[in-house]
Amino acid sequence: MFQAIRTLLEVEKRLSLHPRTRLCPLFASTTQQKRYFTSYKRPFLHSASQPAPAHTCCFPINSASSKFVTIASVNMSSAVEAKKTSKLEFQRLPLNAVPVHYDITIKPNFDNFTFEGVENIDLKINETSPNIVMNAVELNILKAVWKDSGTGKEQVAQTISVDETTEIFTAAFQPPLQSGTGTILLEFTGSMNDKMKGFYRSKFKGSDGQDKYNGVTQFEATDARRAFPCFDEPSHKATFNISLVVEKNKTALSNMPVKEIQAYPEDDKLHVVKYERSPIMSTYLVAYCIGDFEYVETTSSDGVLCRVYTPPGKKNQGKFALSVTAKVLPYYKEYFGIAYPLPKLDLIAIADFSAGAMENWGLITYRETCLLVDEEETSATSRQWIALVVGHEIAHQWFGNYVTMEWWTHLWLNEGYASFVEFLCVDFLFPEYDIWTQFVTDTFVRALELDSLKNSHPIEVPVGHPREVDEIFDDISYSKGASIIRMLHRYIGDADFRKGMNIYLTRHQYKNTFTEDLWRSLEEASGKPIGQVMGTWTKQMGFPLIRVQSEQNGDTRVMRLTQEKYWADPNLKNSKEHNDYSWMVPVAFCSASDPNTPICQTLMEEKMVTVELPGIRSDEWVKLNPGAVGFYRVRYPPELLVEFLPAIKNKILPPLDRIGLLDDLFAMVQSGESSTVDVLRTLDAFKNEDNFTVWSSISNVMSKLNLLFAYTDYHDQFKKFGIHLFSGIADSVGWEPKEGESHLDTMLRSLVLLRLTSFGHEKTIQESKRRLNLHRNGDQTIPADLRPVVYRGVISEGDEETLEMMLKMYRESDMLEEQDRIGRSLGLAKNLNVLKKVLEFAISEDVRSQDTVFIMISVGMNKVGRPLAWNFFKENKKFLGERYPSGGLIARLVKHLCENFVTEEDARSVTEFFAENPFAGTERTVQQVVESIRLNEQWLKRDERLVGEFLTNAI
Ligand code: BES
Ligand code: ZN
């Protein structure tokens, strides 16, 4: 029996099943179970398959496995829980042999971009078996020898094979290996690719003007297997000893400090750098970097040696991130109640880098624009972004590295959590950024937007094949994850939240977790039903729309709330599944007499609740969701909504509530419950607005409408409306930075002027031209914050000569932030020949592949450029497919190139193109953009005439 249970538990673990979904001993065989449970489906790929069982199977469990026994009872229909059939064949690694320790030596060759590797992996053999199965891809494995620790006997593998599709490497031994321990020796070679994954090469200009290369790594999610054969799943934690055979004059770094440097007898230009043994950790966190770097360093008050590595000559640009790092480490130590466990922490800027940054334990890698700050060249926006990214990756050192998700289904535990904590950290270091308010216009709203689509997905999503894993590094895992943690944080309060975090991190240190483990710790700390509440937010996609009705009863306000699923597409309200969704929603209110103090915080457990608020005068407004903390939308009847307008005008309502009202109303417009005219009218109440973040929210609304109404005959009138709306605040911020102005005022200036440029405001564009001339002549440098305004203004009316001038500036700049600023401006040109040249430039030798997509996107964001960019994408499909074999960048490109089309014809063209030319890792994105295109079409059809009439009368 024990054996049977163990097998069940293992199958369950292998399949990454949620603990709620137990395997039933009634199944005839594990194969049958496997087939049943792997048939969860992703809705857009397949027709309905068998639903997950509504019941929970029970069987006796020994106490060691008790963590699987507690079952969160989630109050929602099983019909809406994540199910999918993995389209791509996938199986997790068998558990017969598991790694304990890796000893890896890598010798790169920068002449032909190859590397040689020798690896000894200490394994525990759980069951006698002929095969050792692990991951490898694009590696040439030359030799595999097994040495049994018990007998000391060596055995050469009879066969070794790598299946490049499943990325599985199998070494077969005869006679079979006996259970016990031993070491497998592997020798292999590979290539340092230019695809920004695995162990790859990153280009830079040497001081002699020649192209030079650094060798760096990016392993998350599943690319350690490109650098060395390994058990490349997050739950296969082991310790690592890394050694690098490198030229003596190169900097060589890895996760741990250098232990010793040995001579390399075969070549005296080389030496062997050996690093200390790492703590037990997942493969995706291993890293090494070899090349030309310099650094600045300091020791944090909690005794960690911190360094920021930069390209030669730029070490001063590392000082900002260094000071953030040195302050964040003790802050997190205090917050989590656990010290950073490694002796050193390096942050390093990498010129070619696909993501923004990567949290490798002890050696965090960054895109240059996410790490380097130049006092003159870096904008306030970038500086703030860098603080957030540094805070994010350092948060992962605890959340992700110290405690790691068991499988990628729980990726959000890493990314959602770090995306929340980065704000805690920046708020602590830079209170003047008012960063929590910005959280709402950025993170929170972005999550709501994506999650309103029928092609969204639950936070906890079953994934298997690496391509599916790549796809969930999206706004659901990051932004919705962070938003629901913020909601939870408010629900249980900071003290219990910290206590729970400490329990979680301590209990699971150096181990792996499921989402439930986090809930359990927070439940223990707070005594609240966290698993039950939070399950409704992580296991089903979407969020509620809460409709409010109210009536006065003496001095009591009676609020009636009803919840239903919010859909961007109004037709889905009639769908079969609509009523299957329900959430347990922490709700709160505030009222006119004290807008800053939430009242009556309670849990909405049913679809309909009535809340009585005593002591509210009949003339007071009452607002739901103060501070936009709850992850839901609110719909007030028109007569209640107008009551808020005076409080918006005189700013009695706090900024987050002004934003919340505007954005909720805008969501009602998107879903057809209100008209665009309502939102345009409401904007009038924001005339006296002076808060950066509120303006940023207005700007988001206007920018979306500008994209949409570009397809109407009255686009010019719309732009005039926009200019009128922004002119007051533009006059007050002016062009000249004021002595000693705040960070947010600096950001407000560029926000407002940028928006005016997008509306074609002639005065702003003329001023941009004037300032660029002065800048180019060396008479007056444009402050970094205003450069996007100037570049966009100039190119928007520019010709090919203007473009040449800007390309020259691009090529001459050695600061990637500046290149990025120029690159992202180029697509604003209106001249078709200029736009064609911009697209050609984007894929030229002058542009790094990490930056190509952003230049192409800038063209796609422009109505004139959109068809050009889309055709260009199609014409260059082979090139782009090879350049971005999977992952984030290509998905972003697809999203931003396509989602702003507005006709059924475009929707079909996009669908058909990707059906015939699939791009790995973009499947869900394609479904989402097609849905968005159709929503745009409906929206325009609904509101086009009314908005035309409104604008004619308004201007
Ligand atoms: N773990 C990710 C890096 C990553 C992203 C690896 C996608 C593999 C695929 C890292 O912690 C991260 O989240 N980076 C962000 C920046 C962050 C501040 C939001 C990124 O790269 O966009
Ligand atoms: Zn992250």
Side-chain angles (χ1 to χ4, degrees), residues 186-200:
L186 298 167
E187 289 179 12
F188 54 93
T189 60
S191 78
M192 268 194 276
N193 66 70
D194 60 356
K195 303 276 187 278
M196 298 181 284
K197 53 196 206 169
F199 181 31
Y200 70 93

Side-chain angles (χ1 to χ4, degrees), residues 575-703:
S575 65
K576 267 211 302 287
E577 66 199 276
H578 180 63
N579 291 324
D580 291 339
Y581 289 88
S582 74
W583 287 265
M584 293 180 81
V585 195
V587 290
F589 304 85
C590 66
S591 76
S593 58
D594 188 1
N596 286 297
T597 311
I599 45 174
C600 189
Q601 316 204 28
T602 181
L603 193 62
M604 180 176 184
E605 299 187 52
E606 306 294 332
K607 286 209 171 176
M608 215 175 284
V609 296
T610 303
V611 183
E612 297 195 351
L613 304 174
I616 305 279
R617 292 189 320 266
S618 61
D619 62 347
E620 273 188 73
W621 50 256
V622 171
K623 184 179 173 293
L624 181 58
N625 204 9
V629 177
F631 194 72
Y632 55 88
R633 295 289 192 188
V634 184
R635 166 79 165 143
Y636 300 94
E639 67 276 12
L640 287 190
L641 194 59
V642 291
E643 287 185 3
F644 295 116
L645 296 181
I648 294 177
K649 276 190 191 133
N650 60 22
K651 294 177 270 179
I652 296 265
L653 204 60
L656 275 175
D657 294 290
R658 307 206 284 276
I659 293 170
L661 280 173
L662 176 64
D663 217 72
D664 281 350
L665 175 61
F666 195 52
M668 296 312 115
V669 171
Q670 277 175 300
S671 64
E673 292 219 16
S674 292
S675 128
T676 310
V677 173
D678 295 338
V679 89
L680 293 177
R681 284 217 179 91
T682 306
L683 285 173
D684 194 54
F686 289 86
K687 273 220 179 96
N688 302 325
E689 189 56 66
D690 53 6
N691 179 291
F692 163 77
T693 318
V694 180
W695 273 112
S696 146
S697 188
I698 298 171
S699 171
N700 289 344
V701 166
M702 288 302 286
S703 145

Side-chain angles (χ1 to χ4, degrees), residues 220 357-359 392-393 396 414-416 418-419 422 473 478:
E220 194 179 19
M358 174 65 212
E359 69 267 25
H392 177 106
E393 302 310 335
H396 277 313
N414 270 12
E415 298 304 349
S419 300
E422 68 186 64
F473 285 82
Y478 279 76

Side-chain angles (χ1 to χ4, degrees), residues 336-338 402-403 501-509:
F336 300 130
I338 294 168
Y402 192 59
V403 178
M501 291 324 306
N502 179 268
I503 296 175
Y504 172 82
L505 290 169
T506 309
R507 181 175 296 159
H508 303 287
Q509 55 182 302

